[in-house]
Amino acid sequence: MADSDQGGAFVEFDRVQKSYDGENLVVKDLNLSLPKGEFLTMLGPSGSGKTTCLMMLAGFETATNGDIRLDGQPINNIPPHKRGIGMVFQNYALFPHMTVAENLSFPLEVRKMGKSEREAKVKHVLELVQMGEFGGRRPSQLSGGQQQRIALARALVFEAELVLMDEPLGALDKQLRETMQFEIKRIADDLGITVVYVTHDQTEALTMSDRVAVFEDGRIQQLAPPDELYESPQNSFVAQFIGENNTLEGTVKEIKNGIALVQLDGGGLIDCKPVNVTKAGERTRVSIRPERVEFDKTRLHADAHTLKAEVLEFIYMGDIFRTRLRVAGQDDFIIKSRNAPDQVRLEPGSEIEIGWLAEDCRALDA
Amino acid sequence: MTSVPDTDAAGRVLSADGTPLKQSLNRALRRQKLRALALIAPLLIFVLVSFVAPILDMLFRSVENQLISDNLPQTVVILEDWDPNSGELPSEAVFEAFAGDLQIAISKKVHTRIGSRLNYEKPGISSLFRKAGRQVKKWDIPNDGPYKEKFADLNKGFADIEVWRTIKTYSGAYTNGYFLNSIDMQKGADGAEARPENEQIYITLFIRTLIMSLAITSLCILLGYPVAWILANLPSRTANLLMILVLLPFWTSLLVRTSAWKVMLQDQGVVNEVLVWIGLVADDSRLALINNQTGTIIAMTHILLPFMILPLYSVMQTISPTYLRAAKSLGATDWTAFWRVYFPQSIPGIGAGSILVFILSIGYYITPELVGGTKGVFISNRIAFHILSSLNWGLAAALGTILLVVVMALYWAYDKIVGIDNVKLG
Ligand SMILES: Nc1ncnc2c1ncn2[C@@H]1O[C@H](COP(=O)(O)OP(=O)(O)OP(=O)(O)O)[C@@H](O)[C@H]1O
Ligand SMILES: [Mg+2]
């Protein structure tokens, strides 16, 4: 599967497996290939093996099985310090006994670069991360966000073509995180570097990446650009993990013209797009995004199936309205509607009918 | 619900009962402080009595010299006018006063103590006083004169100008004589002068103590660093087990450990036997590992090693392994990563360990005494000798004071160079 586009691959995991204790596989059959210049994010819950993958790539762990190739060369036997891969650690790992400038010139010194050249590069990279005046400070004298920038600068200063980042923004507050997401993306685009970025924050993954690899239990569940991931999740784990999502369980009644008719366990018939179901009688879990639910009948197909719903709660959130409904016996069904002048505000207690376009409702694995 | 606090005329904030807030805060704090003080009072008193008082006593003893001026009061006063460099014995008046003072001293049974005290400065005086004691108490003063001749008959020593010079030199209530003695000098005819070559021992001992303590400290760093490093990088279960091995020496008696080294290191000991057996050393040229400096250094390094390993270990535990990874990912080889990134961060541990080991070894006594022979003893062994055998406590106190000052000076220098804030003991 990964061999198909060998020509453009810069980083390649080929059937990689990893076990720490010889009993459990932490990474199971990982296949991944990314071209030069791509920003790839590994997203997944805690313990799903993301850091392990990065460490294998950086050379601090060895793959138990399979090959990792960089620019076509297997790197399993190259020691970490010769791989030339920049790395930003989750806790930054700035050397506390060196100033910012010394931290930045460290990778240049070990490459035996001349003093004047070193100083020029350090100055340049400090400006790149907008930290020009901070060269003389110690890491402990910087704020979290500033340390983060320096850690980034240190991974960039020796002009690594591949930069790995392990939850670099995990310790920052929301506001700063958003600014830094933008900065990292800008710098990566400007320099044209290839980035493998690890996070368990799905918003971060969606806003920054060219492609996102969703990890679970040591496997990639889906590898796709953000929009595809959000709109066309391949299985119920991805659907659950990315964005807000309503799930209903049921049995496939028939599949016709590319539309699956699903009998819900809580009563009611709905139209879905068959993704992981192939024939009538299969169990399925259907997934529908809150913002794709319609309660205005005029905007649905005349022959579309609808469900009865009771409004439980109406929450005003400023830009959107969020309404909680009881649907098919479940009372955690959410719909979101835009706050527009003509938008209806649903009254708690009222009975409505809801529906959707068949392609927005995906029948996934049970 | 009042949110603004009440204030008095001067604008001070008042508490609920009307007293100024500052005042009631102080009162509350004072009560807390008193309670805290009461809690630590037993310890405080204990420290004062058992630690501070002896040090003060030692400082005092190193200059105190009241024995002579208290017990030969008239002699001391009249001796003032005598010039030892004139080449003549003191006048008859001095001898008469001396006879009187001595009779009183004999009746108080302190004349032998005066003799011993003066004997430190001029050997021989002790027996002079002891012998005089038996005769002088029978004399009838002032009718038996002239005393100059009577003393000369009693013992030729009393006709020696040097004896009287010694009495005059040490007639003050305080003296720097002990300190001069401690640095191989003495009070001569014209102030301080060096002692004769064959009596000089203390400077050599001080220097030897410093150099050997430095050697022991360096060896402890060399041996302790890798051990601490291994401990800090093992999983904590294994590390705790191995830590017991490091601490094990603390559970066996110091004497037992030192004696064990005697067995190990002697000519027919385990080490020499093994070396001869594997042919590294010829049977007739066995290594002299004990009763010399080598013995002291080996045994003390072993005994003080835990004091190096413990602070090193606790500092190294706080150094995250990601620093090494970061350095390697930046292109550093294993060695560069260690030397540029890990080692500098472990220096506070080295500092703490070195201070502990150095200060402990500079004052060490038992081990050098047992395995050091004559060449491997420290200044503290000499101090012990003066306290236990020669009973020259003044000299022992002066040596101890110098040792204390040297340690404090080194500590101060360390603070200036490395910074004591950089020392982490745990
Ligand atoms: N050095 C190790 N020895 C043994 N097991 C390990 C080691 N490092 C990680 N693991 C295990 O491997 C699994 C994956 O760990 P990994 O650190 O890759 O997860 P992650 O996806 O990075 O999680 P997080 O989001 O919490 O950082 C976990 O179950 C973890 O317990
Ligand atoms: Mg991780």
Side-chain angles (χ1 to χ4, degrees):
Chain A
M1 186 170 81
D3 295 4
S4 57
D5 58 348
Q6 202 151 42
F10 181 47
V11 177
E12 210 175 347
F13 285 82
D14 187 4
R15 278 185 251 128
V16 171
Q17 292 185 317
K18 172 72 186 174
S19 169
Y20 284 106
D21 52 8
E23 285 170 18
N24 305 306
L25 279 177
V26 170
V27 173
K28 302 166 186 160
D29 193 27
L30 179 75
N31 293 289
L32 183 65
S33 88
L34 63 157
K36 252 197 169 93
E38 182 168 61
F39 197 117
L40 178 105
T41 299
M42 295 178 172
L43 172 69
S46 194
S48 55
K50 311 179 295 286
T51 300
T52 305
C53 286
L54 272 203
M55 288 303 162
M56 286 192 289
L57 191 50
F60 299 122
E61 296 290 351
T62 44
T64 313
N65 205 1
D67 274 329
I68 303 173
R69 283 187 286 270
L70 182 65
D71 229 355
Q73 303 293 320
I75 60 169
N76 286 0
N77 298 323
I78 308 176
H81 68 271
K82 294 212 174 116
R83 296 194 182 186
I85 298 175
M87 177 133 193
V88 180
F89 290 83
Q90 178 161 11
N91 47 11
Y92 316 137
L94 295 176
F95 306 138
H97 58 292
M98 299 185 189
T99 63
V100 164
E102 284 165 351
N103 263 283
L104 295 180
S105 94
F106 181 83
L108 306 177
E109 275 168 47
V110 300
R111 287 176 171 72
K112 311 252 184 312
M113 196 175 274
K115 188 162 192 283
S116 53
E117 200 181 345
R118 279 197 326 247
E119 278 168 4
K121 289 211 172 190
V122 168
K123 188 163 178 291
H124 177 249
V125 78
L126 273 176
E127 258 144 40
L128 186 72
V129 295
Q130 301 171 349
M131 293 280 293
E133 324 86 279
F134 293 89
R137 295 230 197 142
R138 296 265 162 160
S140 58
Q141 297 167 318
L142 300 179
S143 74
Q146 290 167 336
Q147 290 183 31
Q148 207 284 327
R149 279 168 210 247
I150 299 303
L152 179 62
R154 194 175 63 175
L156 297 174
V157 69
F158 58 99
E159 284 159 16
E161 284 182 87
L162 175 61
V163 175
L164 314 180
M165 306 191 194
D166 191 359
E167 298 185 40
L169 306 180
L172 305 185
D173 66 53
K174 186 165 177 290
Q175 192 107 27
L176 197 54
R177 202 153 66 210
E178 279 163 12
T179 326
M180 286 308 301
Q181 286 169 8
F182 174 76
E183 292 274 294
I184 291 175
K185 182 73 179 143
R186 171 183 68 83
I187 291 170
D189 286 349
D190 283 357
L191 300 179
I193 51 177
T194 313
V195 177
V196 179
Y197 189 98
V198 165
T199 181
H200 50 218
D201 179 338
Q202 40 131 332
T203 333
E204 201 164 290
L206 294 183
T207 50
M208 297 177 77
S209 327
D210 297 325
R211 280 193 303 164
V212 178
V214 180
F215 272 67
E216 213 252 329
D217 194 22
R219 274 180 218 283
I220 295 185
Q221 300 291 334
Q222 187 168 1
L223 172 61
D227 52 350
E228 195 183 318
L229 206 61
Y230 186 82
E231 280 162 35
S232 323
Q234 287 301 318
N235 56 39
S236 52
F237 174 79
V238 177
Q240 283 294 334
F241 198 71
I242 310 281
E244 201 168 14
N245 191 60
N246 293 306
T247 45
L248 299 167
E249 291 191 28
T251 314
V252 179
K253 213 167 170 204
E254 59 168 18
I255 300 183
K256 203 167 66 184
N257 305 334
I259 291 184
L261 193 64
V262 174
Q263 172 71 54
L264 295 179
D265 294 347
L269 272 177
I270 53 173
D271 302 319
C272 305
K273 176 176 172 164
V275 180
N276 293 347
V277 291
T278 46
K279 57 182 191 295
E282 269 184 278
R283 291 289 296 162
T284 182
R285 186 178 285 168
V286 303
S287 133
I288 170 95
R289 299 279 177 204
E291 67 273 15
R292 297 292 167 95
V293 179
E294 286 293 350
F295 51 88
D296 182 353
K297 268 200 123 173
T298 59
R299 297 169 68 167
L300 291 171
H301 285 297
D303 57 350
H305 287 92
T306 58
L307 288 176
K308 285 205 186 332
E310 182 193 348
V311 180
L312 296 177
E313 195 178 6
F314 175 85
I315 304 168
Y316 178 84
M317 296 185 68
D319 53 347
I320 56 163
F321 301 149
R322 192 180 143 95
T323 316
R324 193 159 63 85
L325 309 176
R326 177 179 295 131
V327 174
Q330 280 173 245
D331 49 14
D332 57 356
F333 197 97
I334 303 292
I335 62 176
K336 287 180 186 167
S337 46
R338 205 162 55 87
N339 182 359
D342 58 345
Q343 187 62 271
V344 185
R345 299 188 181 198
L346 295 168
E347 284 290 325
S350 56
E351 296 275 342
I352 56 171
E353 276 192 53
I354 57 170
W356 42 75
L357 299 179
E359 62 262 34
D360 285 337
C361 177
R362 302 169 64 79
L364 305 169
D365 50 318
Chain B
M1 273 225 313
T2 53
S3 58
V4 183
D6 296 330
T7 54
D8 68 1
R12 286 177 303 184
V13 184
L14 297 180
S15 63
D17 62 359
T19 52
L21 194 56
K22 261 227 172 78
Q23 195 180 318
S24 44
L25 179 68
N26 280 341
R27 196 185 324 126
L29 286 181
R30 192 164 346 113
R31 217 174 300 138
Q32 271 181 15
K33 278 184 202 153
L34 279 178
R35 192 160 347 125
L37 199 66
L39 276 175
I40 62 160
L43 183 63
L44 198 66
I45 292 166
F46 177 77
V47 167
L48 281 176
V49 168
S50 67
F51 191 72
V52 178
I55 288 182
L56 292 178
D57 184 53
M58 177 185 79
L59 290 175
F60 180 68
R61 268 175 199 276
S62 65
V63 294
E64 186 257 1
N65 192 42
Q66 286 160 349
L67 188 69
I68 292 165
S69 58
D70 280 0
N71 291 304
L72 302 175
Q74 296 178 48
T75 319
V76 164
V77 171
I78 307 179
L79 255 183
E80 292 266 301
D81 301 327
W82 175 63
D83 175 12
N85 295 338
S86 64
E88 285 174 26
L89 278 176
S91 64
E92 172 63 19
V94 172
F95 281 90
E96 189 178 333
F98 182 58
D101 284 343
L102 208 52
Q103 270 195 338
I104 301 173
I106 290 164
S107 67
K108 289 198 281 182
K109 293 195 168 68
V110 291
H111 65 292
T112 48
R113 276 178 59 203
I114 302 174
S116 323
R117 166 69 189 93
L118 289 169
N119 199 57
Y120 301 145
E121 313 303 337
K122 183 161 171 49
I125 298 190
S126 178
S127 67
L128 218 52
F129 271 68
R130 213 166 338 106
K131 285 174 189 155
R134 291 182 217 121
Q135 302 297 324
V136 175
K137 65 180 173 196
K138 299 177 201 151
W139 294 355
D140 175 19
I141 300 169
N143 305 322
D144 279 1
Y147 294 96
K148 202 184 242 184
E149 279 73 33
K150 267 188 102 85
F151 271 111
D153 288 346
L154 193 64
N155 194 310
K156 279 205 306 291
F158 286 112
D160 182 355
I161 295 184
E162 289 308 313
V163 170
W164 290 98
R165 186 205 298 281
T166 308
I167 296 179
K168 183 178 159 82
T169 312
Y170 290 93
S171 59
Y174 297 95
T175 178
N176 57 3
Y178 293 125
F179 278 100
L180 287 176
N181 201 345
S182 305
I183 52 173
D184 291 337
M185 294 176 83
Q186 63 189 5
K187 289 180 151 185
D190 344 271
E193 61 180 33
R195 271 177 188 263
E197 290 277 330
N198 59 352
E199 287 179 27
Q200 297 190 358
I201 71 166
Y202 296 114
I203 298 272
T204 326
L205 266 180
F206 272 117
I207 291 176
R208 183 198 292 165
T209 305
L210 286 181
I211 289 179
M212 284 176 64
S213 299
L214 276 180
I216 291 163
T217 311
S218 321
L219 273 176
C220 281
I221 296 175
L222 281 180
L223 295 175
Y225 198 94
V227 175
W229 191 84
I230 290 172
L231 284 178
N233 285 287
L234 281 175
S236 59
R237 272 181 60 105
T238 337
N240 286 340
L241 268 180
L242 291 180
M243 192 48 109
I244 293 178
L245 293 185
V246 172
L247 295 176
L248 205 59
F250 283 133
W251 301 339
T252 44
S253 145
L254 181 68
L255 276 170
V256 172
R257 275 180 283 156
T258 307
S259 312
W261 277 117
K262 269 186 116 90
V263 176
M264 295 279 290
L265 296 178
Q266 57 188 280
D267 273 3
Q268 309 300 322
V270 179
V271 174
N272 265 316
E273 289 292 341
V274 169
L275 287 178
V276 168
W277 184 64
I278 59 176
L280 269 179
V281 179
D283 198 10
D284 50 359
S285 61
R286 292 175 177 244
L287 301 176
L289 295 173
I290 198 139
N291 296 331
N292 57 15
Q293 305 193 353
T294 319
T296 306
I297 291 180
I298 294 178
M300 283 186 57
T301 303
H302 164 240
I303 285 162
L304 295 177
L305 199 53
F307 294 98
M308 179 63 76
I309 294 178
L310 289 177
L312 266 177
Y313 171 67
S314 78
V315 167
M316 284 177 176
Q317 259 193 328
T318 64
I319 306 176
S320 157
T322 35
Y323 289 125
L324 279 181
R325 290 188 162 187
K328 284 184 209 166
S329 84
L330 294 171
T333 58
D334 287 353
W335 169 250
T336 316
F338 167 76
W339 183 245
R340 297 273 323 267
V341 174
Y342 194 89
F343 183 74
Q345 294 188 61
S346 67
I347 282 179
I350 298 183
S354 301
I355 285 195
L356 272 178
V357 170
F358 186 77
I359 290 181
L360 280 173
S361 64
I362 218 175
Y364 230 70
Y365 154 66
I366 298 180
T367 306
E369 184 74 31
L370 292 178
V371 301
T374 47
K375 285 267 180 276
V377 292
F378 282 9
I379 192 71
S380 37
N381 298 94
R382 204 64 204 167
I383 298 179
F385 166 75
H386 283 307
I387 290 196
L388 300 173
S389 306
S390 83
L391 300 182
N392 188 353
W393 286 22
L395 181 56
L399 290 170
T401 306
I402 292 179
L403 198 56
L404 183 66
V405 170
V406 168
V407 168
M408 291 203 306
L410 287 171
Y411 187 80
W412 175 84
Y414 184 92
D415 185 32
K416 282 287 151 204
I417 299 165
V418 183
I420 213 71
D421 307 346
N422 278 332
V423 169
K424 270 194 224 150
L425 284 172

